[in-house]
Amino acid sequence: LQAIYYEIGFIVSAALGLLFILLLPLVGLCFCMCRCCDNCGGEMHQRQKKNADCQRSCFATFLFVASLIIRQVVGVLCAYAANQHLTNQVRGAKKLVNSNFKDLKVFLNDTPAQIDYLVNQYNTTKDKALSDLNSKYFDLKGVSDVSIRETKEALENVSVSVEVLQEGTERLHANLTDVKMHLSNTLNDSACSVAQAASTCNIIRNSLNQLNINANFSGLPGVSSQLAKVNDVLKTDLSSLVQKVCFLTGFIDSQYRQSNFFHNIKNVLESIGSNITTFTKTLPVQKILADLMIYLTQSEAYVQDYFPLVEQYDFYRWLGCVILCCMVVLILVFYYLGLLCGTCGYDKHASPTTRGCISNTGGNFLMAGVGFSFLFSWVLMIVVVLTFVTGGNVEKLVCEPFEDKTVFKVLDTPYLLNQHWKNYLSGILFKNPNINLTFENVYSDCKENKGIYTSLHLEHLFNINEFLNISKYTEDVALKIEHIQINLSKIILLDEVGKENLLNFSSSGIEAINFAAYLTEINKSVTKVDLLSFANDLEARADQLPKGALENALKGHANSIRMIHNQQVIPLEQAMSTLNQSIRLLKRTSSELMV
């Protein structure tokens, strides 16, 4: 029912077009017969009515505008542009088709190499695992005196940096307040009330509130208590503790290596790699690729053989369309020449039998235009009807359904393309029409750049995921790890002094530092506005003012702002960078202590 409603418009349009095609030659024939019998074209005398000039001008204007709009702009130019565009698309299709065939061949040729590359990725993982096992050491050193000293230096940097930033921002705030006050006094000068300078001065005055500090370091908590506790920890020499731990590490590592652990794990990893290599060789990849390459080569040869024929027929189509356009242009030329000659040769005192050559030629041009219209317009209407009905249905029945995926739903209708198959695509690929593989799903997956294996459900040919599931190997690896037995019950790792120092360091209060407060202020800019940009903008606006004391004063203030940036803001930014590094180091140390 929807199709019928939609086709009604095309049927009505096509009926009108067919009616035009039938009636126009018939009307033209009648007109020609009347002209041949001297019974058409008006009486051979001319009455001068009051509205004759107005009527004649209206007819000429209507004919000129109708010919210009209907025939030239919409008819000829659009038809020629569409005709040429279609030819360009056909010519470009050859290059596009060759490029697609080339890409498909490269894909098929590179697929085995890609499979080998993926297999080698397991070898990389296996080698890395064995390397880590061979170089494994039990890192029992914990927190050494080096990390404690780094923590002390970070705390000292934080303390110094915060002090520098607090003092620097106070001086910067005072200097910016002083600059704002001088700028405000300058802008209150009578020179700013002049019409040429008033708008510029108002803009500068409204921007003065930007000259202020942005970061506030006065409320940051200190780290003096944490620094004092770390200094107490460093009073004890930890070098002997580190030597004991290094000796113990070597002892445990020797027992670790004497076990049969490495040999067992290596055998498991080697067996996994061997299974993967064997599986990839059993896949029917080469056969599938060979078959696809044959089909691809045959398709490319077919296209190469018939594409010259397509180009030849396209040339005939292009030439026919150009001829039709030239017909319209010829009719248009006859009309315009008739209007021109009739206008130039018109004499209201001359009768039709005594009118001049120019006027008579204009009438002949108009009659020639009418005659060619009767001869060719029905041909043009045939082309219009065919292209309109065909193009409209293709756009509605093919293009729009393809865009909203309705066409895929039609193709995926069970038993539509093959009355014995529920799913046509899976029947073609896997000879099993019961697999839920649809055109719509394949199109959506390809549009989302998913792989061919996933899009075409190739697991029904060879299930890689099931084979490469390494969970069945993890139990074996876990059992071999559990068999490692190292007796450390009689070994004392830390004496009481070492334990006490490490406990003191862990309770130094580093984790209690408000890192968020520090990072919040560090991530801010020193001032609300970049002072160099503000100074440059101020100087540019000063150049817009009339030459005089006001301009010079504003430029002097711009130089003062630049000096404040170079002498105060840059050192503050450097101190903020140092503070940032120290805070992040302390935060990392705090996380390690909590673990």
Side-chain angles (χ1 to χ4, degrees):
L1 188 61
Q2 292 178 352
I4 293 175
Y5 285 148
Y6 171 74
E7 292 295 336
I8 286 176
F10 286 103
I11 293 173
V12 172
S13 300
L16 293 175
L18 292 175
L19 185 64
F20 180 89
I21 294 170
L22 294 175
L23 291 180
L24 190 66
L26 183 60
V27 173
L29 180 62
C30 296
F31 177 78
C32 181
M33 293 177 63
C34 291
R35 292 289 294 177
C36 293
C37 297
D38 294 331
N39 289 325
C40 188
E43 299 178 359
M44 299 302 291
H45 62 88
Q46 189 171 351
R47 296 187 183 94
Q48 293 294 332
K49 299 179 180 179
K50 293 182 179 180
N51 62 342
D53 292 336
C54 179
Q55 187 179 22
R56 189 179 295 107
S57 300
C58 290
F59 286 155
T61 303
F62 179 78
L63 178 61
F64 177 81
V65 173
S67 300
L68 181 67
I69 296 177
I70 297 175
R71 296 184 180 275
Q72 185 176 9
V73 178
V74 178
V76 178
L77 293 181
C78 292
Y80 181 79
N83 182 40
Q84 188 63 39
H85 179 72
L86 182 58
T87 298
N88 294 336
Q89 293 298 318
V90 172
R91 293 175 181 175
K94 183 176 182 180
K95 182 178 179 181
L96 181 62
V97 169
N98 292 335
S99 176
N100 289 338
F101 277 117
K102 182 180 178 181
D103 292 341
L104 288 173
K105 287 183 176 180
V106 171
F107 172 74
L108 295 179
N109 291 328
D110 289 350
T111 297
Q114 294 296 322
I115 294 175
D116 294 338
Y117 173 78
L118 292 176
V119 173
N120 291 331
Q121 295 309 300
Y122 172 76
N123 294 331
T124 303
T125 304
K126 179 193 68 177
D127 295 339
K128 177 61 176 175
L130 294 175
S131 176
D132 290 343
L133 290 173
N134 289 328
S135 61
K136 181 67 181 175
Y137 287 92
F138 289 91
D139 188 7
L140 301 176
K141 295 181 182 179
V143 183
S144 65
D145 58 342
V146 176
S147 61
I148 297 176
R149 293 185 185 280
E150 290 178 352
T151 303
K152 174 193 173 184
E153 293 177 0
L155 290 170
E156 291 176 345
N157 291 333
V158 169
S159 179
V160 174
S161 299
V162 169
E163 184 178 353
V164 170
L165 289 171
Q166 289 174 348
E167 295 177 357
T169 51
E170 289 178 1
R171 290 196 303 270
L172 177 61
H173 177 69
N175 291 333
L176 291 177
T177 302
D178 187 59
V179 169
K180 284 195 294 184
M181 183 184 65
H182 286 90
L183 264 173
S184 180
N185 293 335
T186 302
L187 295 173
N188 291 330
D189 190 83
S190 59
C192 270
S193 60
V194 181
Q196 297 178 350
S199 60
T200 302
C201 290
N202 288 332
I203 294 173
I204 298 174
R205 189 179 294 108
N206 294 332
S207 64
L208 291 182
N209 58 349
Q210 298 178 359
L211 290 176
N212 207 341
I213 60 172
N214 190 33
N216 183 15
F217 299 96
S218 60
L220 292 179
V223 293
S224 56
S225 61
Q226 290 87 349
L227 181 59
K229 291 181 180 180
V230 172
N231 286 328
D232 292 338
V233 173
L234 287 174
K235 292 179 180 179
T236 302
D237 185 15
L238 298 178
S239 58
S240 59
L241 174 62
V242 175
Q243 292 175 0
K244 291 180 181 179
V245 173
C246 290
F247 173 77
L248 181 59
T249 301
F251 172 73
I252 296 174
D253 186 64
S254 63
Q255 290 194 17
Y256 178 72
R257 293 182 180 277
Q258 288 174 4
S259 64
N260 206 23
F261 173 76
F262 291 101
H263 180 70
N264 294 334
I265 294 298
K266 184 176 181 180
N267 289 340
V268 173
L269 296 176
E270 293 288 353
S271 64
I272 296 174
S274 177
N275 291 337
I276 292 175
T277 304
T278 303
F279 173 73
T280 55
K281 292 181 179 179
T282 60
L283 293 177
V285 175
Q286 295 295 342
K287 182 180 181 304
I288 295 175
L289 294 179
D291 294 340
L292 290 176
M293 186 62 74
I294 292 174
Y295 293 143
L296 188 64
T297 304
Q298 293 176 350
S299 301
E300 185 178 15
Y302 180 83
V303 172
Q304 295 294 340
D305 291 339
Y306 283 93
F307 203 86
L309 187 62
V310 173
E311 290 182 327
Q312 182 179 359
Y313 282 120
D314 178 72
F315 173 75
Y316 295 151
R317 180 205 56 77
W318 177 85
L319 185 61
C321 291
V322 171
I323 293 174
L324 291 177
C325 291
C326 291
M327 291 179 183
V328 179
V329 172
L330 181 63
I331 296 172
L332 188 68
V333 170
F334 282 148
Y335 284 157
Y336 287 164
L337 289 177
L339 289 173
L340 180 63
C341 294
T343 303
C344 295
Y346 172 69
D347 184 4
K348 66 179 180 179
H349 299 293
S351 65
T353 57
T354 60
R355 63 187 178 188
C357 177
I358 297 177
S359 179
N360 188 63
T361 303
N364 291 334
F365 275 131
L366 290 176
M367 288 299 101
V370 173
F372 276 103
S373 297
F374 286 127
L375 288 175
F376 299 133
S377 293
W378 64 277
V379 179
L380 294 176
M381 183 56 67
I382 292 175
V383 176
V384 170
V385 170
L386 292 178
T387 54
F388 175 74
V389 174
T390 304
N393 280 281
V394 169
E395 194 275 337
K396 186 66 178 179
L397 301 178
V398 178
C399 297
E400 288 187 5
F402 183 82
E403 179 67 22
D404 58 16
K405 300 181 182 180
T406 306
V407 67
F408 298 118
K409 295 179 181 179
V410 175
L411 294 176
D412 293 328
T413 302
Y415 310 106
L416 177 67
L417 300 179
N418 189 318
Q419 60 180 350
H420 303 292
W421 287 355
K422 179 179 180 181
N423 295 304
Y424 181 78
L425 190 58
S426 60
I428 289 292
L429 293 178
F430 310 124
K431 307 302 180 184
N432 185 0
N434 295 321
I435 297 175
N436 187 21
L437 179 63
T438 62
F439 290 97
E440 183 179 2
N441 291 338
V442 172
Y443 175 78
S444 300
D445 290 345
C446 291
K447 198 170 184 180
E448 295 174 2
N449 290 326
K450 291 185 179 180
I452 293 180
Y453 183 86
T454 302
S455 301
L456 297 181
H457 295 187
L458 296 181
E459 66 270 11
H460 295 285
L461 286 179
F462 40 90
N463 195 341
I464 296 179
N465 295 328
E466 180 180 351
F467 181 81
L468 296 181
N469 185 6
I470 64 171
S471 60
K472 56 185 177 182
Y473 302 106
T474 56
E475 294 182 3
D476 192 12
V477 175
L479 289 174
K480 296 186 183 303
I481 294 177
E482 290 177 359
H483 290 163
I484 301 176
Q485 295 181 356
I486 300 176
N487 187 7
L488 303 177
S489 59
K490 297 182 179 179
I491 297 176
I492 299 176
L493 179 60
L494 295 176
D495 56 15
E496 293 301 325
V497 177
K499 289 180 181 179
E500 183 179 357
N501 278 276
L502 294 181
L503 290 174
N504 290 336
F505 179 67
S506 64
S507 61
S508 59
I510 297 176
E511 70 282 357
I513 298 176
N514 191 354
F515 297 107
Y518 280 93
L519 294 175
T520 299
E521 299 302 325
I522 292 171
N523 292 330
K524 294 180 182 179
S525 57
V526 178
T527 55
K528 290 185 177 181
V529 67
D530 182 54
L531 295 185
L532 288 181
S533 299
F534 187 90
N536 294 333
D537 184 65
L538 180 61
E539 194 169 55
R541 296 191 182 282
D543 291 334
Q544 299 174 3
L545 299 174
K547 302 292 182 181
L550 180 61
E551 177 193 12
N552 296 331
L554 292 177
K555 289 185 177 180
H557 294 317
N559 291 330
S560 300
I561 294 173
R562 291 193 186 95
M563 187 178 299
I564 292 174
H565 177 272
N566 295 332
Q567 294 181 357
Q568 297 185 26
V569 175
I570 292 179
L572 288 176
E573 290 176 347
Q574 295 173 352
M576 289 174 67
S577 176
T578 302
L579 179 61
N580 184 28
Q581 296 176 2
S582 301
I583 287 295
R584 294 188 183 279
L585 188 148
L586 291 173
K587 187 177 181 181
R588 185 171 62 252
T589 303
S590 173
S591 301
E592 293 173 355
L593 288 175
M594 292 177 67
V595 173

